[in-house]
Amino acid sequence: MKVLVPVKRVADYNIKVRPKSDGSGVELANVKMSMNPFDEIAVEEAVRLKEAGVATEVVAVSCGSAVCQETLRTALAMGADRAILVETDVELQSLAVAKLVKVVAEKEGAQLVICGKQAIDDDANQTAQMLAALLDWGQATYASKVVVADGSIEVTREVDGGLETVRLALPAVVSADLRLNEPRYATLPNIMKAKKKPLDTLKASELGVDVSPRVQTLSVYTPPERKGGIKVGSVAELVQKLKDEARVL
Ligand code: AMP
């Protein structure tokens, strides 16, 4: 069973991002970029499936400009066998990514695609769902446990108020939630080995897919500063402030 893992290059989660001065987007110049954290979890799960003898090959795929090779090398250092860059300088939105990954999944004959549940830059949380719809495959989002057996996959999903377990026929699309696993660090020897693993490039323009944006960003700005809180001396004072100042009672 071949497992495909789409990985996105995003601003590192430790970075406090700032809007560009003209409000047209987020400032990414000189910002540390990393693999989307949920995609690290997805790579880890795919590598564990390979280590358990369930998956035969793990292929990481990233859609974007040439710099995404860096993210793919991280996936290779974590244990992916091969990587594919779908190269384009067009700013991709979820639908375009889903269409591109669909082409790759079909070309590769993948039986399972494990995405991150969402990319932490735009928080879209829609690529996995769109991909499953375009492929006409089953989908299980927000996975916290994955068990593959006899041509099907059992996925425990984190839903409001608890856990839900679903069984899907393969091929299928799964999206990884936070508690699925704890991703390993890429060790130095594995980072060195990853440099020799195959990384192929496909030109997005040659895949017959319309990647033009469908959504226009009107403005990006920081939320207004929140006023500091205060400590009240007693319950009576709290009630009085809620009545007279906050006017919520
Ligand atoms: P989103 O729907 O944008 O929140 O992204 C959900 C998941 O789709 C991510 O965690 C990745 O697994 C995948 N994904 C999104 N954008 C890309 C991209 N440019 N290249 C590869 N995978 C992506």
Side-chain angles (χ1 to χ4, degrees), residues 81-194:
D81 299 294
R82 269 192 309 123
I84 300 172
L85 169 67
V86 181
E87 194 177 359
T88 175
D89 287 327
V90 175
E91 200 181 310
L92 297 173
Q93 294 176 347
S94 304
L95 180 60
V97 174
K99 287 180 186 173
L100 293 170
V101 175
K102 172 183 187 268
V103 175
V104 177
E106 286 173 340
K107 253 178 181 291
E108 289 286 331
Q111 283 293 293
L112 179 62
V113 179
I114 311 182
C115 295
K117 79 162 175 181
Q118 72 192 60
I120 60 163
D121 50 1
D122 50 20
D123 277 343
N125 182 355
Q126 47 190 10
T127 306
Q129 296 87 332
M130 287 174 168
L131 175 65
L134 292 172
L135 283 165
D136 199 19
W137 293 2
Q139 61 173 295
T141 48
Y142 315 126
S144 64
K145 188 174 173 203
V146 166
V147 180
V148 180
D150 302 330
S152 69
I153 181 166
E154 212 173 86
V155 181
T156 304
R157 308 182 54 234
E158 301 211 358
V159 293
D160 280 352
L163 298 173
E164 175 190 57
T165 303
V166 292
R167 182 176 297 126
L168 315 174
L170 292 170
V173 178
V174 168
S175 80
D177 212 326
L178 197 61
R179 279 165 283 270
L180 181 58
N181 59 50
E182 203 170 304
R184 69 196 67 187
Y185 286 106
T187 59
L188 191 58
N190 286 343
I191 293 172
M192 300 313 285
K193 274 188 217 153

Side-chain angles (χ1 to χ4, degrees), residues 25-126:
V26 170
E27 187 58 77
L28 292 178
N30 302 319
V31 165
K32 180 178 184 233
M33 305 294 284
S34 301
M35 187 191 297
N36 180 44
F38 292 107
D39 303 353
E40 289 183 353
I41 297 172
V43 172
E44 176 67 34
E45 196 63 21
V47 172
R48 287 187 191 187
L49 287 174
K50 169 118 192 256
E51 288 168 346
V54 175
T56 48
E57 193 179 29
V58 176
V59 182
V61 54
S62 193
C63 309
S65 61
V67 285
C68 297
Q69 290 181 27
E70 212 177 274
T71 317
L72 289 169
R73 289 285 170 209
T74 306
L76 293 171
M78 288 177 69
D81 299 294
R82 269 192 309 123
I84 300 172
L85 169 67
V86 181
E87 194 177 359
T88 175
D89 287 327
V90 175
E91 200 181 310
L92 297 173
Q93 294 176 347
S94 304
L95 180 60
V97 174
K99 287 180 186 173
L100 293 170
V101 175
K102 172 183 187 268
V103 175
V104 177
E106 286 173 340
K107 253 178 181 291
E108 289 286 331
Q111 283 293 293
L112 179 62
V113 179
I114 311 182
C115 295
K117 79 162 175 181
Q118 72 192 60
I120 60 163
D121 50 1
D122 50 20
D123 277 343
N125 182 355
Q126 47 190 10

